[in-house]
Amino acid sequence: KAVKEGVLEKRSDGLLQLWKKKRCILTEEGLLLIPPKQQPPQQQQSPPLSTEPTAKIKELHFSNMKTVDCVERKGKYVYFTVVMAEGKEIDFRCAQEHGWNAAITLQMVQYKNRQAILAVRS
């Protein structure tokens, strides 16, 4: 179930570190990153027109996420970093009014709280 959908820009890992637009779907379990031309998995009726494989969809699951650090607000953008449990850092930016960093943080905290409650019950 999507909590929030829209476009985020992700900094590439390559030498040039270019900003690439990704269609993002925030769920109660994590963040799905989809190449902009590709349809989300549940909406594909026919084979995709693009030659990009569906393996390009990345899921950043909250169980593997440590923190969301708001790095800075510059111009119209908010720059933030998602820190994964294994230490990997993924840089994002979005328009300030879209509030992706706050939405991701809120969902991550709610996910961790649900996990803690389940752990206490069991």
Side-chain angles (χ1 to χ4, degrees):
K1 179 179 124 252
V3 176
K4 183 177 175 74
E5 289 187 51
V7 176
L8 260 177
E9 290 183 61
K10 176 185 172 289
R11 194 184 345 230
S12 64
D13 295 330
L15 189 65
L16 297 175
Q17 296 196 328
L18 302 168
W19 290 100
K20 294 186 178 173
K21 284 185 173 16
K22 299 282 184 188
R23 282 200 39 242
C24 295
I25 301 173
L26 181 63
T27 68
E28 293 178 351
E29 302 293 314
L31 182 67
L32 292 174
L33 304 176
I34 305 161
K37 295 179 207 73
Q38 193 171 308
Q39 291 297 310
Q42 74 275 15
Q43 292 178 2
Q44 281 183 341
Q45 290 91 12
S46 59
L49 296 173
S50 74
T51 54
E52 293 181 280
T54 47
K56 283 278 212 185
I57 296 176
K58 260 194 207 147
E59 182 178 10
L60 304 179
H61 203 279
F62 290 136
S63 62
N64 300 327
M65 225 180 257
K66 252 201 319 211
T67 60
V68 179
D69 296 334
C70 186
V71 180
E72 65 177 327
R73 296 171 194 275
K74 196 160 70 178
K76 65 176 188 165
Y77 289 111
V78 172
Y79 293 81
F80 61 97
T81 302
V82 171
V83 182
M84 303 304 284
E86 68 272 12
K88 183 176 183 189
E89 295 185 356
I90 305 162
D91 296 328
F92 293 98
R93 73 178 183 187
C94 67
Q96 287 196 35
E97 64 271 14
H98 292 169
W100 273 98
N101 54 324
I104 295 168
T105 303
L106 186 65
Q107 286 305 316
M108 183 181 68
V109 167
Q110 288 176 349
Y111 174 86
K112 303 267 190 201
N113 285 345
R114 284 193 304 272
Q115 295 307 306
I117 290 167
L118 289 173
V120 167
R121 285 184 183 157
S122 63

